């Protein structure tokens, strides 16, 4: 049976419609694949940032809905649709698509911002929690150290009562940013209260640094730390009171005759023990940074007590790297005692303390100041002759000893001082090596108290 012309025309139109449909099928619309893909993406994102589950449902709904607004290839209809004017159809589609896209983009950016803020907020809270736990840990560590060494925290009222309201009659010493007062406790024992001005950030840092170190140390040749107090404006450190003054006063004052050769050797030995403790036997190595005769206290039996840890550094195994040149650097040490290598490089280390110890050895032998208050001449320059030739040490032995010294011991101590004062810090001996030398070559220390040789 032959097909009629009308049937042939209809079949041609339908075949053309199928071809157009196949070539224009560029969008998947709101197919299950699209919804599933966006859903899986949002699920993985939510697991990383932990934002609420309703974000996930919103985004899934949004993209499934928004996808339906884009052109989708329609299936061929049994009957042709009613013709729509081409111009009107084009304008209507463009307005709908533009509006939907703009609205969708705005909503997407809004919820992305909310999710981002939530993630950042979580991280900040977590970081804050870590910092809070660290501060709490430091406080707990300080409490443990206080219990271990018998250190207590005083109230400001107690400190004022001990010092008679910081009476001028109780003033012992004063410096650039601290003063020291004599304190009397209820049990009649005496103490020394060091008051540090906390008006600047620098002084606050110095106070906290010294407090942290004092809470970590206890040694028979280091002044005993009893407690502390701070009121925001002043920091107060309480120590045992050492009644016999400083090595500076004994060597360079009117009492130098009372210091025998054996006393001087014993002080050198005890000071070396204190330095060894700080460098090698503390939990964290400590560099004192300001070893000098005025920071060596003496009790009635001339036992050595190292004090003043305001310049000390803790937690460095061998060297302390200098801060950036853009920041203000507080120099360590005192004139006449400071290591020239540190002055040149700004690199502080344990060997700076060894250099300062070498200067004190020369002071004990000669009785001269590290830096002459009259001429400004440094002791190391004055002693250059005997440092090069230890056999000439008799030329510089303190005349106030009236010849009551051991010449061989003097030679050994000058040779030791020469090693401590060497130009290269790496070639200087350690505190342990210094102690080995003193115990093997200075027999006079054994004739004093038994605790001097307890090493």
């Amino acid at each position: 049976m032959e097909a009629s012309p009308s049937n042939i025309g209809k079949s041609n139109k339908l075949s053309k419609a199928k071809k157009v449909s196949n070539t224009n099928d560029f969008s998947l619309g709101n197919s299950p694949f699209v919804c599933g893909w966006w859903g899986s993406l949002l699920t993985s994102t939510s697991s990383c940032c932990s934002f609420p589950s309703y974000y996930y449902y919103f985004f899934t709904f949004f993209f499934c809905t928004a996808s339906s607004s884009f052109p989708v290839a329609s299936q061929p209809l049994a009957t042709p649709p009613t013709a729509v004017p081409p111009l009107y159809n084009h304008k209507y589609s463009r307005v709908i698509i533009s509006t939907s896209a703009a609205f969708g983009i705005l909503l997407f950016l809004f919820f992305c911002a909310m999710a981002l803020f939530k993630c950042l907020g979580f991280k900040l809270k977590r970081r804050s929690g870590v910092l809070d736990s660290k501060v709490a840990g430091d406080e707990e560590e300080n409490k443990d150290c206080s219990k271990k060494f018998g250190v207590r925290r005083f109230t400001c009222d107690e400190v004022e009562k001990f010092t008679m309201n910081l009476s001028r009659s109780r003033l012992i010493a004063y410096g650039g940013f601290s003063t020291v007062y004599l304190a009397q406790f209820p049990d009649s024992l005496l103490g020394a209260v060091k008051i540090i001005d906390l008006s600047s950030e620098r002084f606050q840092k110095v106070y906290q640094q010294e407090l942290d170190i004092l809470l970590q140390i206890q040694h028979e040749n280091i002044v005993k730390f009893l407690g502390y107090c701070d009121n925001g404006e002043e920091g107060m450190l309480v120590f045992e009171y050492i009644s016999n003054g400083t090595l500076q006063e004994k060597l360079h004052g009117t009492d130098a005759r009372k210091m025998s050769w054996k006393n001087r050797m014993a002080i050198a030995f005890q000071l070396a023990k204190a330095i060894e403790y700080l460098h090698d036997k503390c939990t964290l190595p400590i560099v004192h940074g300001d070893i000098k005769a005025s920071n060596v206290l003496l009790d009635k039996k001339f036992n050595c007590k190292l004090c003043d840890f305001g310049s000390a550094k803790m937690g460095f195994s061998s060297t302390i790297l200098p801060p950036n040149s853009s920041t203000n650097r507080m120099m360590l040490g005192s004139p006449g005692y400071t290591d020239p290598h540190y002055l040149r490089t700004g690199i502080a280390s344990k060997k700076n303390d060894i250099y300062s110890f070498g200067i004190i050895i020369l002071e004990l032998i000669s009785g001269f100041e590290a830096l002459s208050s009259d001429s400004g001449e440094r002791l190391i320059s004055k002693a250059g002759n005997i440092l090069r030739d230890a056999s000439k040490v008799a030329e510089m032995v303190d005349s106030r000893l009236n010849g009551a010294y051991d010449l061989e011991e003097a030679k050994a101590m000058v040779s030791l001082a020469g090693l401590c004062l060497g130009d290269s810090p790496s070639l200087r001996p350690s505190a342990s090596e210094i102690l080995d030398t003193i115990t093997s070559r200075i027999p006079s220390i054994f004739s004093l108290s038994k605790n001097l040789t307890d090493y």
Side-chain angles (χ1 to χ4, degrees):
M1 181 177 180
E2 294 182 359
S4 65
S6 62
N7 288 336
I8 293 173
K10 286 182 181 180
S11 64
N12 291 336
K13 288 181 181 179
L14 288 175
S15 63
K16 287 181 181 179
K18 286 181 181 180
K19 290 180 180 179
V20 171
S21 174
N22 290 335
T23 56
N24 292 338
D25 192 12
F26 63 91
S27 174
L28 295 176
N30 54 352
S31 67
F33 171 76
V34 173
C35 296
W37 185 82
W38 282 107
S40 63
L41 176 63
L42 291 169
T43 303
S44 62
T45 306
S46 64
S47 65
C48 297
C49 294
S50 302
F51 53 82
S53 59
Y54 54 80
Y55 288 176
Y56 163 74
Y57 294 119
F58 169 79
F59 281 119
T60 304
F61 172 77
F62 166 71
F63 283 109
C64 291
T65 305
S67 62
S68 63
S69 63
F70 293 96
V72 180
S74 58
Q75 300 294 327
L77 300 176
T79 57
T82 306
V84 180
L87 182 61
Y88 175 77
N89 188 28
H90 176 69
K91 287 183 177 181
Y92 178 77
S93 299
R94 188 167 61 182
V95 169
I96 293 297
I97 292 173
S98 300
T99 304
S100 300
F103 181 72
I105 291 172
L106 288 176
L107 281 180
F108 176 74
L109 293 176
F110 174 74
F111 279 92
C112 281
M114 290 181 65
L116 179 63
F117 284 134
K118 185 169 182 64
C119 290
L120 290 176
F122 174 73
K123 290 182 179 179
L124 289 175
K125 286 181 180 179
R126 185 171 60 183
R127 184 177 299 176
S128 176
V130 171
L131 291 175
D132 290 343
S133 63
K134 184 179 184 300
V135 172
D138 291 342
E139 291 179 352
E140 288 298 323
E141 184 178 353
N142 286 346
K143 288 180 181 179
D144 293 341
C145 293
S146 298
K147 292 178 182 179
K148 179 180 178 181
F149 297 136
V151 176
R152 59 168 292 195
R153 183 161 189 165
F154 294 99
T155 66
C156 294
D157 291 338
E158 286 179 311
V159 173
E160 290 180 357
K161 184 178 179 180
F162 298 155
T163 58
M164 295 178 60
N165 294 321
L166 305 179
S167 171
R168 182 169 295 182
S169 63
R170 294 289 185 95
L171 182 64
I172 299 176
Y174 62 91
F177 59 91
S178 65
T179 53
V180 182
Y181 291 89
L182 180 66
Q184 185 170 9
F185 301 113
D187 56 4
S188 298
L189 291 177
L190 297 179
V193 179
K194 180 180 180 180
I195 299 181
I196 301 174
D197 179 20
L198 301 181
S199 59
S200 72
E201 184 178 351
R202 175 191 168 192
F203 294 159
Q204 292 172 14
K205 185 177 180 180
V206 169
Y207 167 74
Q208 189 61 49
Q209 179 176 272
E210 184 170 6
L211 175 60
D212 291 343
I213 291 175
L214 290 170
L215 287 170
Q216 303 291 329
I217 60 177
Q218 187 176 56
H219 188 268
E220 60 182 349
N221 297 122
I222 295 176
V223 65
K224 187 176 181 180
F225 182 52
L226 302 178
Y228 63 99
C229 169
D230 60 78
N231 57 10
E233 298 179 357
E234 294 176 326
M236 306 176 190
L237 305 174
V238 185
F239 301 92
E240 65 174 329
Y241 177 65
I242 307 300
S243 60
N244 206 18
T246 68
L247 180 60
Q248 173 78 17
E249 295 168 352
K250 297 304 177 198
L251 274 181
H252 311 302
T254 57
D255 294 335
R257 293 178 184 176
K258 297 179 181 179
M259 290 192 66
S260 67
W261 178 258
K262 292 180 180 180
N263 288 139
R264 299 182 191 213
M265 295 301 98
I267 290 170
F269 179 73
Q270 291 178 340
L271 181 57
K273 287 175 65 177
I275 295 172
E276 182 204 35
Y277 170 78
L278 295 174
H279 288 185
D280 304 324
K281 295 188 176 181
C282 290
T283 304
L284 294 174
I286 297 172
V287 176
H288 186 278
D290 195 19
I291 292 177
K292 57 183 178 179
S294 59
N295 282 340
V296 177
L297 302 176
L298 302 173
D299 66 13
K300 292 180 179 180
K301 296 182 179 180
F302 287 94
N303 290 309
C304 158
K305 302 281 186 178
L306 182 61
C307 69
D308 195 354
F309 286 78
S311 299
K313 305 293 182 184
M314 179 171 63
F316 301 87
S317 59
S318 58
T319 61
I320 305 170
L321 297 180
N324 296 331
S325 57
S326 59
T327 60
N328 294 326
R329 177 160 54 93
M330 185 173 68
M331 296 296 291
L332 303 180
S334 298
Y337 295 92
T338 307
D339 181 3
H341 183 268
Y342 169 72
L343 294 176
R344 288 193 303 268
T345 65
I347 300 177
S349 72
K350 296 175 182 178
K351 297 305 177 73
N352 299 147
D353 288 347
I354 301 300
Y355 181 93
S356 301
F357 178 77
I359 296 294
I360 288 184
I361 291 179
L362 293 180
E363 286 187 272
L364 290 168
I365 293 172
S366 68
F368 293 131
E369 292 181 279
L371 185 69
S372 174
S373 55
D374 297 327
S375 64
E377 184 181 11
R378 294 193 305 154
L379 178 54
I380 190 173
S381 300
K382 189 180 294 186
N385 193 30
I386 65 170
L387 289 174
R388 287 188 293 269
D389 186 357
S391 63
K392 298 179 180 180
V393 65
E395 299 175 3
M396 281 197 68
V397 173
D398 193 347
S399 60
R400 292 170 295 185
L401 289 171
N402 295 320
Y405 68 94
D406 187 304
L407 180 59
E408 294 304 316
E409 290 186 359
K411 291 179 181 179
M413 292 300 285
V414 166
S415 298
L416 179 59
L419 294 174
C420 294
L421 299 171
D423 291 333
S424 175
S426 61
L427 298 179
R428 296 171 192 162
S430 66
S432 298
E433 292 170 336
I434 291 172
L435 285 171
D436 289 339
T437 300
I438 295 177
T439 53
S440 63
R441 302 187 64 183
I442 312 298
S444 64
I445 64 172
F446 294 96
S447 63
L448 293 174
S449 176
K450 183 180 178 181
N451 65 351
L452 289 178
T453 59
D454 184 18
Y455 166 67

